[in-house]
Amino acid sequence: MASRPNVARLYSCFATGTDAVLTLIEVSISPGIPTFSVIGLCDSTIRESQGRLRSAFKSAGFNMPKGHITIGISPAYMRKAGSGFDLPMALGILFASGQLYLPPEARIYAEGELTLGGELKGTPGSCIRLKTVRDMDFDYRIIPNGEAASAGVAGFIGQGVTSLNELSSIFDGNHYIESRFQFSRGIGSDDRIDISMLKGQEKTKRALLISAAGFHNILLMGSPGCGKTMAGKILSGILPPLNESELADVYSLAELSDGETPEVSCDRPVRIIGPGITVGKLTGNQVSLLPGELALANHGILFADELPLYKTEVIDFLRKPLEDRKINLLRHGNLYSYDCNFIFLGTGNPCRCGMLYEKGNKCRCSGPDIKRYLSKISGPFLERIDLFSEMRSISGDDMSEIYIGDKGSESLEYRNAVERCWQMERERYGGGYLNGTFPDGDIRNSMRIPSSVIRFATDMCEKGFFSARGFTKILRVARTVADLDDSADVTEAHVSEAVAFRMKGV
């Protein structure tokens, strides 16, 4: 005989940006004229669930009970949306009406959308929700099988179901089988370019290695066709794959952005933007809280091609995200934050004709023309850049090597060096920090920079007219150079190399 409680209680979850909120769902059925009421600041998707539930119950052999059905979803002061509440509401009705057995004191988590035929479907944002509740204490965890990939990425443990028919087996038949969900990784990107293809650009190759090893922002300026755009694919090829925590973060946002289940890949994201990008596309949709390019580049690369052609407001807007590594959206008076911890890779021509760095006075631009062309890239923005490298046209011999020489496997050697540096940096700081992301504070002791080296760096900065922020950037880059050299302490030689990658005055 099924137990019929006065009020059936169970739990679900809804996503708000990159966060998720646990909800308590209470279902009460009382005698009277049949009514269906959902309370708790719910949108039309939730309020319209009555039609889906009624048809799904009939298809699965259950009955929609008669009387007053009241469903409360708390916290009542927060706006809620999404069809993922269908399954917990259906379970609550079946428990409250006595059609399914509710184990005493059982804590039940459920989510999923119901079709009219009683099948269960996954809903967008499931990885964010499951990642939030995976470590919470529940006796039953029930989700649609369609969310198996998201659950696997999130490390969620529970039972997947395909339809309402299976609920009788779980609760009346006591056949709840909890297991860890599995997922398959997609094939990695095959359009990566080995760094050995970057011929005649030794300084840039070194800059890319340092950028990857310390997660430093980098700016490449040079003539057309010298390989600036190629550097984006090269940089992604020398970064280590995503770890489990990073994969869950990246997958969550991709799922939220696409509105469907994306392919699971351990490749770090590379988001390419151009001069037509707007601030709105960078930040995301404040109405639907969909992530923009900054959030989608988290744990990867934001590649800004032809930077001098961007709108001034876009470049100035990037300053704060590059500094804070977060982006905020305001909706209904609530502040939502997205992480945007990426390597910023900017490229561009140094002047309108692009020949400023070429030998033989090939540049046709006047001084005022050059200044006007680069004026959009402000000094405060350049202070957020850790590494700068100029690039020149490829010589004939180097150009021939690109096509007739061996492709090589330098990128693999670079990636191994980067992985070794990341391991040292994470052990040094804890919390997953790298040299480029470690919070400002006692950098001298944390990064093991002797006092004599600090004084040397100060002298170098005074001669180069570097700002205080530029001084900090030099110390961070010097620490990465020391890690690449397997040096416990930063030396004057490491600082000198870091200074060589700074633009004068910033």
Side-chain angles (χ1 to χ4, degrees), residues 9-64:
R9 295 179 176 85
L10 59 162
Y11 297 87
S12 193
C13 197
F14 70 98
T16 57
T18 56
D19 297 321
V21 179
L22 184 68
T23 60
L24 172 64
I25 299 177
E26 299 177 295
V27 179
S28 172
I29 303 176
S30 58
I33 299 175
T35 59
F36 186 92
S37 177
V38 182
I39 56 178
L41 281 182
C42 301
D43 75 344
S44 58
T45 306
I46 302 174
R47 295 195 301 270
E48 291 173 354
S49 61
Q50 179 183 4
R52 295 192 296 273
L53 294 178
R54 189 179 299 278
S55 178
F57 281 171
K58 184 175 181 181
S59 299
F62 295 113
N63 298 314
M64 178 66 83

Side-chain angles (χ1 to χ4, degrees), residues 18 215 217 253 282-283 292-302 317-328 337-344 437:
T18 56
F215 225 70
N217 297 324
L253 289 183
L282 287 174
T283 58
E293 293 295 332
L294 294 177
L296 292 173
N298 191 35
H299 299 308
I301 300 169
L302 182 68
F317 171 80
L318 283 170
R319 286 157 49 185
K320 188 170 179 58
L322 290 181
E323 187 78 13
D324 299 341
R325 298 187 180 270
K326 280 186 178 295
I327 186 71
N328 298 319
S337 294
Y338 291 93
D339 289 332
C340 51
N341 184 27
F342 51 75
I343 295 177
F344 177 83
T437 63

Side-chain angles (χ1 to χ4, degrees), residues 103-126:
E105 306 298 328
R107 285 172 57 87
I108 301 171
Y109 178 86
E111 66 171 62
E113 177 184 335
L114 281 169
T115 68
L116 299 183
E119 290 81 24
L120 278 166
K121 299 194 304 181
T123 54
S126 58

Side-chain angles (χ1 to χ4, degrees), residues 189 191-192 229 231-237 239 250 267-273 293 296-304 342-343 345:
S189 175
D191 61 347
R192 291 174 176 168
T229 304
K233 294 180 179 180
I234 289 175
L235 182 59
S236 66
L239 290 175
V250 171
D267 290 343
R268 293 187 176 271
V270 180
R271 305 297 299 189
I272 302 175
I273 58 176
E293 293 295 332
L296 292 173
N298 191 35
H299 299 308
I301 300 169
L302 182 68
F303 183 17
F342 51 75
I343 295 177
L345 171 59

Side-chain angles (χ1 to χ4, degrees), residues 15 111 122-130 146-151 153-154 248-263 290-291 296:
E111 66 171 62
T123 54
S126 58
C127 191
I128 294 175
R129 299 191 300 268
L130 299 179
E147 295 180 356
S150 300
V153 172
D249 292 341
V250 171
Y251 185 89
S252 297
L253 289 183
E255 181 187 43
L256 196 63
S257 175
D258 297 342
E260 56 187 31
T261 302
E263 184 181 71
L290 291 178
L296 292 173

Side-chain angles (χ1 to χ4, degrees), residues 194-195 237-238 409-419:
D194 194 86
I195 199 168
I238 63 177
S409 57
E410 275 189 69
S411 285
L412 179 59
E413 298 175 9
Y414 276 48
R415 191 184 310 124
N416 291 336
V418 171
E419 288 179 343

Side-chain angles (χ1 to χ4, degrees), residues 373-385:
Y373 182 75
L374 297 176
S375 61
K376 291 182 180 179
I377 308 179
S378 63
F381 172 82
L382 291 173
E383 285 189 336
R384 273 72 178 180
I385 304 299

